[in-house]
Amino acid sequence: MAIVRHGQASFGAADYDALSAVGEEQSALVGDELRRRGLRAPEVVAGTLRRQQHTARLLGFPGPCRTDKRWDEFDHLALLRRYVDPARVEPTLKDSRAFQRLLDEALEAWTRAGGWAGFPADALAALQHVADAVPKGRDAVVVSSGGVIGALAAGLLGAPPATGIALNRVAVNGAITLVTVGRSGANLLSFNDHGHFSGAQRALLTYR
């Protein structure tokens, strides 16, 4: 199963949930990369967020995209409002690195309050649901977000929440994470593969 982080959203804009022009390019390139890998009539699943749904469409696979809210990202703006002084947030809205530091702070506070606990569990349940629903002989492509994918990877490794937060921090827009699900359960094969954004496509490499 290929799990794709959505293309770049519109950081700093009034509507963050819309793909940027770069995000649209990234999404189309991910579709090309997945076809190069020879996926077998993949079933496409995405969260309900617009940036996830738009990315799924731009991958260019035929057929409908099934929607599952468990692949949605946590509400990062709500977490910042809850755990960080708003006066500290405003100056970072045009500086993605400074914004990420505050988001990490909010995520750590959320974790201490017990809010993270159900997040990887939902992702693991959504993963199993996809695996159970895909017909034999076909592959699956899931479009989700960095926090979900980081939490899922950490959960599969039996790692603590801090690992999921760290993986979210380095998640690349349009990166591909591979998971296999079989009789022995789910196993992480690779995380955050973004080789398709190298060489002539390096300008498309973004983290936020």
Side-chain angles (χ1 to χ4, degrees), residues 53 165 171:
Q53 292 280 319
I165 294 171

Side-chain angles (χ1 to χ4, degrees), residues 7 21 52 67 96 108 121 126 128 143 145 161 163 167-168 175 177 201 206:
Q52 298 169 340
T67 299
S96 61
E108 289 163 3
Q128 188 62 54
V143 180
S145 295
T163 300
L167 293 176
N168 173 51
T177 292
Q201 305 297 339
T206 64

Side-chain angles (χ1 to χ4, degrees), residues 116-194:
W116 180 273
F119 195 53
D122 282 348
L124 289 164
L127 176 75
Q128 188 62 54
H129 187 264
V130 173
D132 291 342
V134 174
K136 186 176 181 179
R138 292 183 60 184
D139 292 311
V141 175
V142 175
V143 180
S144 188
S145 295
V148 181
I149 298 169
L152 179 64
L156 290 172
L157 295 172
T163 300
I165 294 171
L167 293 176
N168 173 51
R169 189 182 307 125
V170 299
V172 169
N173 293 120
I176 300 168
T177 292
L178 295 181
V179 175
T180 182
V181 183
R183 293 180 180 178
S184 62
N187 292 282
L188 182 67
L189 297 181
S190 64
F191 170 75
N192 205 36
D193 177 4
H194 54 279

